[in-house]
Structure formats: structure tokens, C-alpha cells
Amino acid sequence: MWRVSCVVSSRSGVRLMGCSKWRAALNCGHLRVQSKLSVFFTMIIFFTYLFYCLNGYCDSLPRPVYDQQSNLPNKIILNDEASPQQLGALNASQVVREQLSDAPSDSNLSIANTFGSKKFPQAIIIGVKKGGTRALLEFLRIHPDVRAVGSEPHFFDRFYDKGLDWYRNLMPRTLEGQITMEKTPSYFITKEAPRRVFSMSRHTKLIVVVRDPVTRAVSDYTQTLSKSPGLPSFKNLAFRNATTGLIDTSWSAVRIGIYAKHLENWLRYFPLSRLLFVSGERLVTDPAGEMGRVQDFLGLKRVVTDKHFYFNQTKGFPCLKKPEGSSRPRCLGKSKGRPHPQIPNEVLHRLRDFYRPFNLKFYQMTGHNFGWD
């Protein structure tokens, strides 16, 4: 075997460096290279991670189980009706939602979006426009066992061609025992809607919020006028001929109020027991009482009671009392409770005469007198 030595000359003489020392120096240099490479690759990994975090990819990384469990009490959204037993359990199956947040969108989120499953709605608020459907939905959101879509899906009247999978994907996730709901007031007057809902599920519960059709028509006109200031007068739109008093039933504001006609279409597919008719007037004067009927119809415990409401004199309808953790009470938006324009009494009387026979038939069909005459 070759023996290698390294000779270093100096004035004092010659000093030999043995093979073992030479190898040690070589290894030392090799270690320095390895160390630099490690630092280099570490920096690459660090900057790559930093780049992904800055672009929002870190949020999608799964959290460790212990972290989810340790933060569970902070993630539970509590309702002031929750019992001490519910508060002590602190487990995902007993999560209850926030009473009402200031945001109009979904406030009833579960602990994590991976909990629960998306289902077709077991109950739908199908009508009517300007009857009080938004108020009813917001009042129902207080209940811990109700999960509802915030916006109107319009699946059964506008987007049916997108398919049932698309529709189900719009629904919020629900835990066992919770009810999935949505509201789209135009379903009630859409000819194809009853058949389409029936095809999805014949067991769907249907809620119709009805209101004096004359008042409803004026409210409908007021909303349209706010968006189109140049709109013709209510009188010009309501009558085909003002002299003869012939009502224009092609105008949607008038047509929607012929409740008996639209109900006939729904009763071809659903028995009356599957429908609940909520009084828009009582929803204003006695919201807790009307909400009691709704909760019974949905098979829910009566959680939403009179303690949740107060009457707002300025808006002229009930609002929800200040939720815990909120700085102010929750009322519906500025678009609700608009002052109505002055309509000549003669026009209102003629319109009331027009609706009277339809109202009487509606009372007979539903077995309930709403007292609009």
C-alpha cells in the first residue's frame, strides 16, 4: 500500500505530515462542504414554504388533532338558550349556532367545515315575495337545529338545468338532527317548481308566508320603484283600463297575490299537511307566536320565543334583541320597512274587491281565515 506524506520546507528544517493528518484535513474540508450544502437546502425549503404561505396555501394545511381539540371551546358558537348540560359537554355533536350575527350571510357555521354532510333541504320557504320570508328565515336562524342558505338559490325556477348535485352542493353542512333549509319566494308562483321539488323529495316541508295581497302589491311596487325611479304610477300598472276598473293580472305585483291559483298547482303534488301558511301580519304583531307554529311544523323544540324579540318603532316591525357579543341589536336591512308611496283610496278599494273572491277561496283551501277583508 502506498504511504503518502506531505513535506513542508522551512528554515528550521523539514517537517513531515503523516497520512492520518492528511486524511483528517481532507475530511474536515468535506464536512465544511456538507455543512454549506445543508444550509443551502434549508434556505431553499424555508423560502419555498414562505412563498406558499404568502399565497394562501398554508391555510389549507390540516391542523393537528390536539390543536383542534384544545381550541374546541373557542370554536363553539353558543346560543343563549343552551342548557348548562350542553355547555358542559363541549363536543362537536352538540354544537349550536350563533343567535344572529351582523352579517346577512350564513352565521350558523359548524365547528369546522369538514363536520357534517351536505343534504337536500328538508324544508323550503317557497313564498311569497314581500310577504316576510326574509324575516322568517332570519328568525329561524336563531334555532341551533336549523342550517339555512343565506342567499336565494333559485334552483327550481332558474337553475334547474344545473342538476341536483349542484343544488345540494350549495347547502350548508349539517350534523345529525339538524334541518337544512333554503328560501326562494318565486318558487310559489313558478308552474314547474312543484313537480321539480316533488322529484327531489315528496317529503319536503313547504312554508308559505302570505300577506294581505293589496298591501303586498304596494310593497312590491315600492321595491321596484326604488330601483327604477322612472316607473309608471301604481294605478297605471295595476289597471288595464282605469275607466272600467279592469285589473291587469299580467303585472307580477298583482298576479302574485292570487294565492288560491298558485296553491292549486302545489296541491297537485303535495298534500296540505306538507304546507304551512305563515301570516305575514302576525309575524310582525306576534313574531314569537307565529314562530312557535313554524317550529312545531318543522318538528323542532320551541327555542325561539318572545325573549328574542323587541318591536322597532322606527322600522315598524320586530327586530332581534342584541346577540351576545354584539354591540347592537339585529334588524333587517335598509331595504326592509321602506315607506310606501301614497296610493289613491279608490285604486286600493278596487284592488281589494278584485282579490276578495280569491282570498275567500284561499281561506277555504287552507282552513284558515287571514282576515284580509
Side-chain angles (χ1 to χ4, degrees):
M1 179 179 293
W2 290 91
R3 294 182 58 85
V4 181
S5 62
C6 186
V7 180
V8 180
S9 299
S10 63
R11 287 191 179 185
S12 59
V14 177
R15 195 176 68 192
L16 295 179
M17 180 183 293
C19 182
S20 59
K21 292 184 179 181
W22 181 83
R23 285 177 178 174
L26 186 63
N27 288 337
C28 182
H30 182 66
L31 288 174
R32 289 194 188 96
V33 172
Q34 279 188 330
S35 177
K36 289 180 180 180
L37 286 174
S38 298
V39 172
F40 176 74
F41 284 114
T42 301
M43 294 299 290
I44 289 178
I45 293 172
F46 172 77
F47 284 111
T48 302
Y49 176 81
L50 183 62
F51 170 81
Y52 275 84
C53 283
L54 290 175
N55 283 274
Y57 291 99
C58 294
D59 294 338
S60 61
L61 296 177
R63 296 182 180 181
V65 174
Y66 71 85
D67 180 59
Q68 294 178 3
Q69 293 176 343
S70 63
N71 289 329
L72 187 57
N74 296 327
K75 293 182 181 179
I76 293 182
I77 304 175
L78 299 176
N79 181 288
D80 64 355
E81 291 295 307
S83 65
Q85 292 80 7
Q86 287 174 316
L87 299 182
L90 294 180
N91 63 68
S93 64
Q94 292 173 310
V95 173
V96 292
R97 298 179 292 109
E98 183 181 10
Q99 231 180 341
L100 272 177
S101 67
D102 292 335
S105 59
D106 281 337
S107 60
N108 47 351
L109 297 176
S110 56
I111 291 178
N113 61 8
T114 54
F115 289 171
S117 59
K118 295 190 175 187
K119 303 174 184 176
F120 292 122
Q122 295 99 320
I124 305 176
I125 302 174
I126 61 174
V128 298
K129 180 184 178 184
K130 306 307 295 181
T133 58
R134 172 54 62 180
L136 176 61
L137 183 68
E138 294 303 321
F139 295 165
L140 277 170
R141 282 173 178 272
I142 302 173
H143 204 292
D145 291 332
V146 173
R147 297 292 318 280
V149 182
S151 57
E152 298 175 2
H154 282 282
F155 174 67
F156 295 106
D157 60 344
R158 298 181 188 174
F159 304 115
Y160 193 67
D161 60 338
K162 290 183 178 292
L164 287 169
D165 288 339
W166 177 87
Y167 180 56
R168 181 170 52 190
N169 194 51
L170 297 178
M171 299 300 120
R173 293 182 181 273
T174 53
L175 303 174
E176 184 178 354
Q178 290 183 320
I179 291 178
T180 304
M181 291 190 67
E182 70 116 317
K183 91 159 181 84
T184 304
S186 53
Y187 290 164
F188 187 61
I189 64 169
T190 301
K191 186 177 180 181
E192 300 80 11
R195 176 181 56 80
R196 291 171 175 177
V197 175
F198 182 82
S199 297
M200 178 190 71
S201 173
R202 66 182 63 191
H203 303 295
T204 307
K205 294 184 177 181
L206 308 167
I207 301 177
V208 188
V209 188
V210 289
R211 182 184 183 186
D212 183 335
V214 176
T215 309
R216 198 221 66 82
V218 175
S219 181
D220 196 338
Y221 172 77
T222 303
Q223 182 183 55
T224 307
L225 185 63
S226 68
K227 300 175 182 179
S228 306
L231 200 67
S233 69
F234 182 89
K235 179 179 179 180
N236 290 341
L237 293 172
F239 297 104
R240 289 184 179 178
N241 189 316
T243 304
T244 61
L246 184 63
I247 302 296
D248 188 355
T249 56
S250 67
W251 185 32
S252 63
V254 170
R255 187 175 70 255
I256 292 173
I258 310 175
Y259 302 141
K261 176 182 177 182
H262 306 303
L263 180 57
E264 285 177 347
N265 195 24
W266 285 90
L267 292 179
R268 292 189 181 100
Y269 294 89
F270 293 92
L272 197 62
S273 60
R274 284 281 162 191
L275 288 96
L276 177 70
F277 301 91
V278 176
S279 168
E281 287 82 13
R282 285 199 65 205
L283 204 57
V284 173
T285 60
D286 182 20
E290 207 66 0
M291 287 303 299
R293 292 181 59 242
V294 175
Q295 291 170 96
D296 291 346
F297 175 71
L298 295 175
L300 299 170
K301 181 181 177 181
R302 287 198 176 193
V303 171
V304 185
T305 63
D306 54 359
K307 68 174 65 175
H308 290 93
F309 301 99
Y310 80 96
F311 191 81
N312 187 303
Q313 297 290 344
T314 303
K315 285 184 171 290
F317 54 76
C319 296
L320 294 168
K321 291 181 179 178
K322 183 176 70 172
E324 187 175 337
S326 176
S327 59
R328 57 189 175 85
R330 173 69 190 275
C331 279
L332 298 179
K334 295 179 180 179
S335 63
K336 307 299 180 182
R338 295 187 186 96
H340 291 177
Q342 289 294 324
I343 308 295
N345 287 330
E346 180 187 356
V347 174
L348 298 178
H349 288 318
R350 287 187 180 183
L351 199 56
R352 197 165 297 281
D353 290 339
F354 166 79
Y355 279 122
R356 186 169 290 109
F358 296 108
N359 290 343
L360 292 175
K361 185 177 181 181
F362 185 66
Y363 298 166
Q364 293 173 348
M365 295 173 73
T366 61
H368 183 79
N369 187 337
F370 291 89
W372 296 325
D373 296 294

